[in-house]
Amino acid sequence: MTAVLREARIDAAAIGANATLLRQRIPTPHAMAIVKADGYGHGAVTAARAALEGGADHLGVADLDEAFELRAAGIDAPVLAWLLDPEFDAAAAAEAGITLGISARHHLARAAASGHRVAVHVKVDTGLSRNGVAEVEWGPFVDELAAAQRAGGIELHGVFSHLSNTSPDDDRAQLVAFERFLDAVRSVGLDPGIRHIAASAAALDHPAAHYDMVRSGIALYGIAPERHLRGALPLRPAMRLSAQVVGVKRVPAGVGVSYGFLHRTTAPTTLALVPLGYADGVPRAAVDAPVVIGGRRHRVVGRIAMDQFVVDVGEAPVAVGDEAVLWGDPTAGEPGVDEWADAADTIAYELVTRLGRRVHRTTRAAG
């Protein structure tokens, strides 16, 4: 079999194992696996199936197209979609058994007028200032919510928000705001249903935020949500990114490497060319990021280009066709994706979700 030039190997078994571990360590009544953005670049259907097998009982996506993709694949678990098109099709969502995350009065009015009984979770803004019912709207919103439920247009299944993860004081303030909104919901005779505010960071670091369900996103894929939580749980990385070396050349001291000559060789050395670049999602800023070739760790030198970057392998025996591993499983001696994120001054979330179409995905099945 011909080797793949650029490959992201997805380990569905790792996703399932992470879901199980998170379920065991955070025993809330419900657990939502977040599979938006094509399962954080791992494949939404693959991630959803593995997470459900691992113990999750709800799925979360950003928009309705992502939810419909799961239904088309035969996945019938509860799915919540919360970033709604201005003209979202509430009827189609109801017919597919998709729960809508509504975050404004116009969402509520559109859902209630669909001619169906639409299942909803209300998204409340507790201080992040993104989507969510703003506090100045809470009074009229809960009155309209109660009226819509009495009229049979909607069915409230849950209330949720999202923490900033800025500081303990900020998180506590958001929890206080969340409780105020829950009280407002109860004041009009409604049961809030499933209460959830903790994503991966708060799930691991803030027990007071667990409520009835936590939403595991990045942790599901084996990546710590915050630097201080690295190593908090023995999560298994679910993505391994690699490419074949396509060029090897011996160069003398003083040679400039790649655009702008950010790097010049200081001694005779060997340079290996790896066919991944920013068009493939490899960040241009990740100069000095680690790469393993032939079991040895080396570093990116020079500017990462659109299609390629250069690795200084020194005197190591490297040949065209050798595998270059950018990130994978640190327990196997491979760089972690966090190392690349640190090198690019970004977060691992961005790296795994931005891989381009030229990177071939292969999946190791769960179980």
Side-chain angles (χ1 to χ4, degrees):
M1 179 183 296
T2 302
V4 176
L5 183 61
R6 311 172 187 91
E7 181 181 38
R9 296 185 193 173
I10 308 303
D11 188 349
I15 296 172
N18 293 333
T20 298
L21 178 62
L22 291 162
R23 199 79 177 95
Q24 291 169 343
R25 298 293 181 92
I26 310 163
T28 47
H30 301 284
M32 178 176 283
I34 306 302
V35 297
K36 64 180 179 176
D38 196 29
Y40 287 52
H42 296 69
V45 172
T46 293
R49 288 177 173 154
L52 292 169
E53 290 177 12
D57 62 349
H58 285 66
L59 300 171
V61 295
D63 60 42
L64 279 172
D65 284 345
E66 294 177 323
F68 289 134
E69 178 188 358
L70 299 178
R71 289 292 186 253
I75 294 170
D76 59 6
V79 178
L80 174 66
W82 59 77
L83 200 60
L84 301 179
D85 185 301
E87 298 183 357
F88 65 92
D89 192 338
E95 290 166 3
I98 295 165
T99 303
L100 298 179
I102 59 173
S103 58
R105 292 168 69 186
H106 68 272
H107 289 162
L108 177 58
R110 188 171 183 85
S114 71
H116 292 69
R117 192 167 181 83
V118 180
V120 304
H121 284 210
V122 172
K123 174 71 177 292
V124 56
D125 183 4
T126 56
L128 200 56
S129 302
R130 302 191 309 185
N131 66 327
V133 183
E135 187 163 2
V136 295
E137 296 280 353
W138 288 2
F141 182 91
V142 296
D143 288 340
E144 292 164 15
L145 180 68
Q149 177 137 325
R150 286 194 300 270
I154 66 102
E155 185 170 350
L156 179 61
H157 285 189
V159 174
F160 70 116
S161 190
H162 196 80
L163 296 175
S164 70
N165 303 316
T166 306
S167 71
D169 286 344
D170 285 330
D171 286 350
R172 280 192 291 270
Q174 286 195 252
L175 292 178
V176 170
F178 190 55
E179 290 289 348
R180 287 202 309 272
F181 184 78
L182 293 172
D183 287 342
V185 170
R186 296 184 187 106
S187 74
V188 294
L190 296 178
D191 182 343
I194 298 173
R195 303 161 302 161
H196 52 113
I197 194 170
S200 290
L204 294 175
D205 206 28
H206 204 330
H210 288 174
Y211 287 96
D212 304 308
M213 180 164 72
V214 297
R215 303 185 302 266
S216 296
I218 197 69
L220 187 67
Y221 306 99
I223 300 168
E226 300 283 350
R227 182 184 294 271
H228 75 277
L229 291 171
R230 293 177 185 176
L233 285 181
L235 299 168
R236 288 171 50 185
M239 178 186 287
R240 181 179 187 271
L241 179 64
S242 65
Q244 293 184 71
V245 172
V246 294
V248 177
K249 63 177 59 175
R250 190 73 182 167
V251 298
V255 169
V257 179
S258 195
Y259 295 123
F261 287 179
L262 299 183
H263 176 81
R264 293 178 186 271
T265 59
T266 58
T269 191
T270 301
L271 303 178
L273 188 64
V274 179
L276 283 165
Y278 57 79
D280 306 298
V282 176
R284 183 172 180 267
V287 177
D288 203 39
V291 179
V292 166
I293 305 174
R296 299 186 185 187
R297 180 176 284 240
H298 307 286
R299 292 283 170 179
V300 174
V301 292
R303 178 71 73 195
I304 292 174
M306 183 182 293
D307 313 296
Q308 57 198 280
F309 63 81
V310 177
V311 179
D312 188 333
V313 299
E315 305 304 314
V318 173
V320 169
D322 285 352
E323 182 184 53
V325 181
L326 282 69
W327 62 73
D329 184 356
T331 66
E334 298 167 345
V337 66
D338 283 322
E339 295 182 71
W340 271 80
D342 290 346
D345 193 25
T346 186
I347 55 176
Y349 301 66
E350 182 178 358
L351 300 192
V352 295
T353 58
R354 70 188 287 183
L355 293 186
R357 61 186 296 180
R358 296 191 302 196
V359 180
H360 180 76
R361 272 76 163 177
T362 57
T363 301
R364 174 191 169 197

